[in-house]
Amino acid sequence: MLIPGDVVVALFTYSDLSGAKIRPALVVSTEAYIKETGLVVLAAISSKPVKNQYEVKLVEWDKAGLRVPSKLCVGKLMTVNLALVKKIGHLTDFDTELIKDLGSKILYFN
């Protein structure tokens, strides 16, 4: 079972739906959500430079199972069937602290 903070690989569609590619992603859904629905909410991980305040450079990317320096794109979210992802690592506590409050800057729940 996946848990929040796991790093996985999944097929991510481009935001304009023109195509897709396999890329790393961070599990951002709760264990309870995953268990009840069989779905997992993912935030994209990319090796491109940080472009805005909603992307965070991962400091300990190598300890998370990533092959190259990477950033977390908190605004690029996708929900997929649990069977379609493969775990490759887990975000370190240090990097988890860096991204902790970023989700509330993107999603509106009052």
Side-chain angles (χ1 to χ4, degrees), residues 5-74:
D6 280 347
V7 177
V8 299
V9 289
L11 185 64
F12 247 82
T13 57
Y14 299 128
S15 58
D16 64 2
L17 303 179
S18 64
K21 77 179 207 179
I22 295 174
R23 69 176 325 117
L26 181 70
V27 174
V28 296
S29 49
T30 64
E31 289 179 74
Y33 176 81
I34 297 168
K35 185 176 181 180
E36 184 173 333
T37 65
L39 301 172
V40 60
V41 181
L42 304 172
I45 294 175
S46 172
S47 61
K48 294 191 175 168
V50 171
K51 294 189 301 189
N52 59 56
Q53 65 177 326
Y54 307 108
E55 299 177 348
V56 177
K57 183 178 179 180
L58 299 174
V59 176
E60 298 179 331
W61 53 270
D62 52 339
K63 293 179 183 176
L66 299 164
R67 296 182 309 196
V68 296
S70 301
K71 67 177 178 182
L72 177 68
C73 308
V74 181

